Amino acid sequence: MLKNKFYAKFLIMIGAALILSACANTGDEAMDSAPAPEVSAPPQRQAPTVERVTIDPLSQEALDMVMGGMEGSLVYFAFDRYDVDSSARGVLQAQANWMKTNNVNVIIEGHCDERGTREYNIALGDRRANAVKNYLVAMGVAASRVRTVSYGKERPVNMSDHDKNRRGYTRVN
Amino acid sequence: MKLIKILLLSIIGIMSANLSAHAVIEIDITRGNVQPLPIAIMNLAGSADEITSSGSVMDIGAQISRVITADLERSGLFSAIDPRAFINSANATAAPQFANWRAVGAQALVTGTAVLEEDGRVRVEFRLWDVLGTTQMTGLRYFTAPRNWRRIAHLISDAIYKRLTGEDGYFDTRIVYISESGPYLERIKRLAIMDQDGFNHKFLTDGSYMILNPRFSPTSQEITYLSFYNDTPRVYLFNIDTGKSEMLGEFDGMTFAPRFSPDGKKVIMSKAERGNSDIFVMELATRRIEQLTNHSAIDTSPSFSPFGRYVAFNSDRGGTQQLYVMDSNGENVNRISFGNGRYATPVWSPRGDLIAFTKQTGGKFYIGVMRPDGSGERILTESYFEEGPTWSPNGRVLMYYRKYPYDNRGGGGETQLWSIDLTGYNERQVITPLDGSDPAWSPLMD
């Protein structure tokens, strides 16, 4: 079908050329009577739907972006430790600033790696969650906006890197 | 209790009064590596024509004998002689021809019968014979609903074990544990219960919320555990017969690591508030709570001594996780673990003479025991990861769980239940339908 159309156009164009050349010989008169070459109209362009991409400023995604990356809601701890180290302090400072301008409540999850006993890790995860909470509160976040929960070693996110499991996760509530 | 109702069990008593005061054969289980006692276990004789709701009494008798055989062999203290080697199938009601049993190497012999009673119950009798001494050592008769034959088998195993070792058995018991399934990112952890030999398995929760660290009441059909119901980790009490559960107390902070007192009237547990875990004890009748430790360190995994006078627990107050013992009012705290590494999950033996624990050192995990004063530490087993020992009610066997490392293809990480004899021998996997962790042994049922 397309091919036929193409040939049809091609033949018309050749025909038109022949007529034109004939006209050249016979004068302007013939030009007016020559059939207008068929020109297919350009396809009508469909205007795409454009929506502005936004992040809900009160969402987990927004908190993730707080540090300019995807890990704005995560801090990490050393083995069997629960102190907030310098890299965690940067993240938590940004979290605190974000919380001060965005009216959200959060739950701090405390997690441990799997190289420990279950009950002790429940307690250690609670320590870590509270260390994060205390830091946020010290940075000016109201304590009533921050809940804590410990999952101990029960929610690992990485099978090979134990460091990635010893974490505090700030979850928008 | 439902089990009792269906059991309708009555022990008529020892049928033979002329027991010799000095048994010729006995197993000394205080020594290290015990040579298993050769025992012949005949099929309990029954008629193929007496049909019950659970098959003929002939089938029931044969199945009971198989369960007894499995129980005794699993203990590591007995080796059952292959029935194909038996020379004669003795008349179960008459005295055996001992020469024929000596000839196949048996030192002990079990015979018996299964009979259908007019009221629909099954009457099961067994006799334990000393082959060398040519005497009957014990004999008992039980009545039960036919479908309850498995418990009769375990009761007979316990009676044989007790007669030959001098100690209570642990076969008529159950295990409550955490059934695990799913990949590590979506691991489901739910409560399950089974007989100690893995039969009569039942899930007690549906897995929609996580449950950890279940423990049996020593006196009732109740379990206490940590539940993450509503994303709020708290200690619960669960009634096995009714299936009802209730949160133990209303606390602002998390409660966890529960365990019953020996009289079943209290639950001791950790309570965490503002990042600090201390040990509390709750009286179940009044829900009155008493704080036992008050220290900025983590205090958890409390376990009462058998008479409730002392509490062993886990604390990092000395810098790392170690074991401590205190009076049950919280006074006189003493550290008892001083070896290399971290110590955790102390559990007092029902006999009172030992505390089992988990040890972590050099990238491995170990299950061991020590005396309550910390002396005599003995490691029983080691692996990449294992923890959480629980004692058989007679204090002879420990069960715990093991977790395997993840492999580099996205697999691995399985959890399994294992058991080992206190001597450090006879380590065996306890088979569960799915993965398993956190086993807790019931007391002997009654």
Side-chain angles (χ1 to χ4, degrees):
Chain A
M1 181 69 190
L2 267 176
K3 236 178 190 174
N4 291 344
K5 229 178 188 173
F6 176 77
Y7 280 132
K9 275 191 204 168
F10 186 66
L11 290 173
I12 289 166
M13 281 162 75
I14 290 176
L18 287 174
I19 289 164
L20 279 173
S21 59
C23 287
N25 294 336
T26 56
D28 290 344
E29 193 185 15
M31 269 188 82
D32 293 330
S33 61
E38 187 183 323
V39 178
S40 55
Q44 198 186 351
R45 285 183 67 191
Q46 184 122 29
T49 315
V50 180
E51 286 182 0
R52 190 169 288 279
V53 179
T54 57
I55 295 176
D56 176 357
L58 304 185
S59 69
Q60 190 71 45
E61 200 179 2
L63 175 56
D64 276 338
M65 298 299 288
V66 149
M67 296 299 290
M70 293 306 287
E71 294 213 330
S73 51
L74 278 165
V75 294
Y76 297 98
F77 295 91
F79 177 72
D80 203 13
R81 300 290 294 270
Y82 62 102
D83 46 309
V84 173
D85 66 17
S86 55
S87 65
R89 283 198 284 272
V91 175
L92 296 183
Q93 179 65 65
Q95 285 185 15
N97 293 342
W98 178 76
M99 283 190 73
K100 279 188 262 183
T101 52
N102 293 282
N103 185 26
V104 293
N105 292 342
V106 296
I107 297 174
I108 311 292
E109 297 181 2
H111 296 274
C112 306
D113 67 40
E114 294 188 274
R115 303 301 286 160
T117 47
R118 206 160 241 176
E119 290 180 335
Y120 181 83
N121 276 344
I122 295 282
L124 181 58
D126 181 67
R127 262 184 175 172
R128 286 175 174 166
N130 277 278
V132 168
K133 174 177 178 170
N134 291 344
Y135 199 88
L136 292 176
V137 170
M139 292 296 108
V141 175
S144 59
R145 294 172 60 193
V146 186
R147 232 185 79 194
T148 58
V149 62
S150 171
Y151 291 105
K153 63 170 179 173
E154 311 305 325
R155 299 272 168 86
V157 289
N158 197 301
M159 292 167 112
S160 52
D161 190 354
H162 299 310
D163 298 356
K164 289 280 181 280
N165 293 329
R166 296 191 291 264
R167 66 202 193 276
Y169 177 62
T170 304
R171 189 200 330 157
V172 173
N173 193 4
Chain B
M1 187 178 119
K2 199 166 97 196
L3 268 168
I4 282 293
K5 267 183 255 160
I6 45 170
L7 186 58
L8 297 169
L9 176 149
S10 54
I11 300 175
I12 291 300
I14 296 172
M15 289 146 63
S16 168
N18 60 345
L19 284 176
S20 93
H22 307 282
V24 178
I25 47 166
E26 59 180 33
I27 301 174
D28 178 4
I29 54 178
T30 57
R31 283 181 298 136
N33 191 6
V34 175
Q35 193 66 33
L37 181 88
I39 187 168
I41 301 163
M42 296 196 60
N43 281 349
L44 304 191
S47 163
D49 298 331
E50 294 177 17
I51 308 296
T52 76
S53 51
S54 300
S56 73
V57 291
M58 183 181 79
D59 290 340
I60 289 175
Q63 290 182 95
I64 287 175
S65 294
R66 277 198 289 278
V67 170
I68 296 168
T69 301
D71 278 348
L72 295 180
E73 287 218 304
R74 212 169 39 253
S75 76
L77 302 177
F78 299 86
S79 76
I81 293 165
D82 188 336
R84 286 172 298 188
F86 293 175
I87 293 170
N88 59 348
S89 43
N91 181 342
T93 51
Q97 295 169 286
F98 291 107
N100 287 340
W101 295 105
R102 274 197 300 275
V104 298
Q107 291 188 34
L109 168 67
V110 177
T111 63
T113 56
V115 175
L116 179 60
E117 294 280 286
E118 279 183 8
D119 60 6
R121 293 185 302 168
V122 174
R123 187 181 78 224
V124 178
E125 290 178 20
F126 86 97
R127 290 161 196 258
L128 173 66
W129 305 91
D130 178 344
V131 172
L132 304 180
T134 68
T135 53
Q136 179 180 317
M137 299 184 79
T138 187
L140 293 165
R141 180 184 295 161
Y142 308 83
F143 296 88
T144 189
R147 66 192 164 96
N148 205 29
W149 62 266
R150 215 166 239 294
R151 268 203 80 185
I152 299 301
H154 294 312
L155 287 166
I156 293 174
S157 300
D158 281 330
I160 294 168
Y161 184 98
K162 181 162 192 179
R163 186 65 187 87
L164 288 172
T165 68
E167 295 185 12
D168 284 332
Y170 53 89
F171 302 114
D172 187 30
T173 56
R174 291 196 281 179
I175 307 292
V176 63
Y177 75 101
I178 300 305
S179 174
E180 298 196 16
S181 55
Y184 76 104
L185 284 175
E186 302 160 355
R187 198 78 168 155
I188 292 168
K189 292 169 185 169
R190 58 174 172 161
L191 191 63
I193 192 169
M194 61 187 183
D195 294 351
Q196 52 79 29
D197 61 354
F199 285 83
N200 292 322
H201 188 279
K202 196 174 150 192
F203 293 108
L204 297 177
T205 58
D206 63 8
S208 59
Y209 50 93
M210 179 164 66
I211 289 189
L212 303 172
N213 300 116
R215 271 89 198 227
F216 251 107
S217 163
T219 55
S220 66
Q221 291 296 307
E222 284 181 313
I223 301 166
T224 183
Y225 52 70
L226 168 61
S227 167
F228 280 74
Y229 183 71
N230 263 343
D231 205 28
T232 308
R234 293 290 186 276
V235 167
Y236 281 70
L237 197 61
F238 179 92
N239 187 303
I240 301 171
D241 290 338
T242 65
K244 293 259 189 316
S245 67
E246 57 170 320
M247 200 195 289
L248 270 186
E250 300 273 350
F251 302 110
D252 291 337
M254 167 178 66
T255 48
F256 62 108
R259 211 178 270 279
F260 285 94
S261 61
D263 62 6
K265 291 179 177 165
K266 295 173 184 170
V267 168
I268 194 165
M269 62 182 115
S270 280
K271 182 157 81 78
E273 247 172 340
R274 290 183 289 279
N276 180 37
S277 300
D278 281 311
I279 293 171
F280 292 73
V281 65
M282 178 188 278
E283 196 175 57
L284 290 175
T286 61
R287 299 294 154 99
R288 203 174 54 84
I289 189 161
E290 182 191 350
Q291 183 165 1
L292 298 187
T293 69
N294 186 3
H295 197 286
S296 59
I298 288 176
D299 292 335
T300 190
S301 301
S303 167
F304 275 106
S305 65
F307 295 101
R309 273 191 66 186
Y310 305 103
V311 172
F313 66 101
N314 193 202
S315 177
D316 67 349
R317 59 181 65 196
T320 61
Q321 276 175 278
Q322 299 294 337
L323 308 184
Y324 292 79
V325 168
M326 61 184 172
D327 295 348
S328 59
N329 63 4
E331 288 171 9
N332 296 320
V333 177
N334 281 307
R335 178 171 165 179
I336 63 163
S337 62
F338 291 96
N340 289 327
R342 293 155 197 272
Y343 291 79
T345 74
V347 191
W348 222 298
S349 158
R351 297 146 70 102
D353 55 343
L354 292 170
I355 290 172
F357 56 81
T358 307
K359 182 174 181 172
Q360 177 181 4
T361 187
K364 287 200 152 193
F365 286 75
Y366 306 81
I367 303 294
V369 293
M370 62 174 67
R371 295 196 196 96
D373 65 1
S375 66
E377 177 178 331
R378 203 153 51 81
I379 296 298
L380 302 180
T381 171
E382 67 165 79
S383 68
Y384 170 78
F385 183 88
E386 56 197 28
E387 69 150 315
T390 181
W391 292 91
S392 64
N394 69 352
R396 291 295 317 173
V397 183
L398 286 161
M399 198 180 290
Y400 46 92
Y401 84 92
R402 207 164 252 180
K403 186 177 175 85
Y404 291 86
Y406 299 109
D407 60 35
N408 50 19
R409 300 184 305 279
E414 301 89 354
T415 56
Q416 295 174 351
L417 306 188
W418 285 77
S419 72
I420 194 165
D421 194 84
L422 187 52
T423 56
Y425 292 93
N426 196 32
E427 185 169 40
R428 287 164 187 264
Q429 189 189 344
V430 180
I431 304 296
T432 50
L434 304 168
D435 279 5
S437 63
D438 284 355
W441 218 312
S442 81
L444 274 176
M445 295 190 266
D446 45 31

